[in-house]
Amino acid sequence: MSPRLEWTSVIFTPRTPRIIAARKLQKRRDRDKAGQFLAEGPQAVRSALAAGVVLELFGTPEALNRYGDLAMEAPVVSPVDDEAIAALTETVQPQGLVAVCEQIDVPLAEALAKEPRLVAVAVEIRDPGNAGTILRTADAAGAGTVIFAGDAVDPYNGKCVRASAGSLFNVDVVRAPLTIVDELRDYGLQVLATTGTGETDLDSVELGKPTAWLFGSEAHGLGPELLKAADARVRVPIYGGAESLNLAAAAAVCLYASARAQRSVSPGDPRSVSPGDHHESAV
């Protein structure tokens, strides 16, 4: 059943109780307590609406008129003034829309039961920009699940949500402990650990099979226990003079290598993915 559209005629200010309550979601503690988070801008709001997780949409009258299609889809629409939207956003030039959303992470077993063929694991990655970029890249490469393992950044951090460019709502998001390798393997995934000192070159790995990639932070990489537990330790070859790739670039190379390999296996092979199952690039 479609939600009932509620559109108040009152213009909310920074002192309105609902704005005060929503602003608290800028802190992780309050996000986790409420099970909610903020999604800023029309792209994120559109994806959140498509996922059915929007609880309330705040917008300036100008933005609500400009994005009337989004306002009509939201269950509750609350017009706000410019000061209120500035208080709810973390960008220098806000686009006038902020949605309060339900958190969408799922248990690890539930995500793996869907038999994803490509999984990205962000291991103790603290930088929200990197985490959001991995979400976006994993989604683009066709990964079904992104796991935030250990003491990783909150996937609902505002910068992470913005960096994901809506992809947060397109994949299964999982928060899990570091001890996940055996469970990944139990669900038929080979587990590959990325490291600059890996004994296996990316070009030498069999990537046509279901794969979970482990990505560590730029500062510390993956710990010795995870490196040992993985099926292989893989390095991305450097052909020029660069010392290394940053995390986001290395993740993109690895995830797309898997995506390409999984679409290149022989027709009829149970590992195969339809080569036509893609969208046009939007760089």
Side-chain angles (χ1 to χ4, degrees), residues 69-146:
D69 59 324
L70 301 182
M72 291 302 295
E73 292 182 38
V76 179
V77 179
S78 299
V80 302
D81 63 18
D82 290 339
E83 289 185 2
I85 207 71
L88 290 171
T89 58
E90 300 173 326
T91 52
V92 177
Q93 295 181 317
Q95 296 176 281
L97 292 179
V98 176
V100 177
C101 306
E102 295 178 291
Q103 293 188 1
I104 55 176
D105 48 307
V106 300
L108 179 61
E110 180 181 326
L112 296 181
K114 299 177 184 178
E115 300 183 347
R117 297 188 49 76
L118 186 57
V119 174
V121 185
V123 178
E124 298 194 322
I125 292 174
R126 312 286 175 80
D127 182 87
N130 276 338
T133 301
I134 288 176
L135 273 165
R136 184 177 184 177
T137 303
D139 178 25
T145 302
V146 177

Side-chain angles (χ1 to χ4, degrees), residues 236-280:
V236 176
I238 302 294
Y239 300 118
E243 179 183 355
S244 63
L245 293 175
N246 65 26
L247 172 62
V253 170
C254 294
L255 290 168
Y256 265 91
S258 283
R260 182 169 55 251
Q262 291 180 2
R263 284 159 174 74
S264 300
V265 294
S266 301
D269 189 309
R271 300 174 299 168
S272 66
V273 179
S274 171
D277 184 19
H278 70 277
H279 301 288
E280 293 300 320

Side-chain angles (χ1 to χ4, degrees), residues 179-209:
T179 53
I180 59 171
V181 171
D182 287 342
E183 193 162 0
L184 292 170
R185 199 177 283 122
D186 287 346
Y187 279 88
L189 293 156
Q190 69 169 342
V191 181
L192 303 180
T194 55
T195 171
T197 59
E199 73 275 8
T200 306
D201 189 288
L202 177 65
D203 296 334
S204 304
V205 183
E206 167 55 57
L207 295 177
K209 61 180 71 173

Side-chain angles (χ1 to χ4, degrees), residues 8 12 18 22 53-58 74-78 98-101:
T8 176
F12 289 175
R18 297 233 297 259
V53 298
V54 172
L55 300 173
E56 182 170 9
L57 178 63
F58 296 110
V76 179
V77 179
S78 299
V98 176
V100 177
C101 306

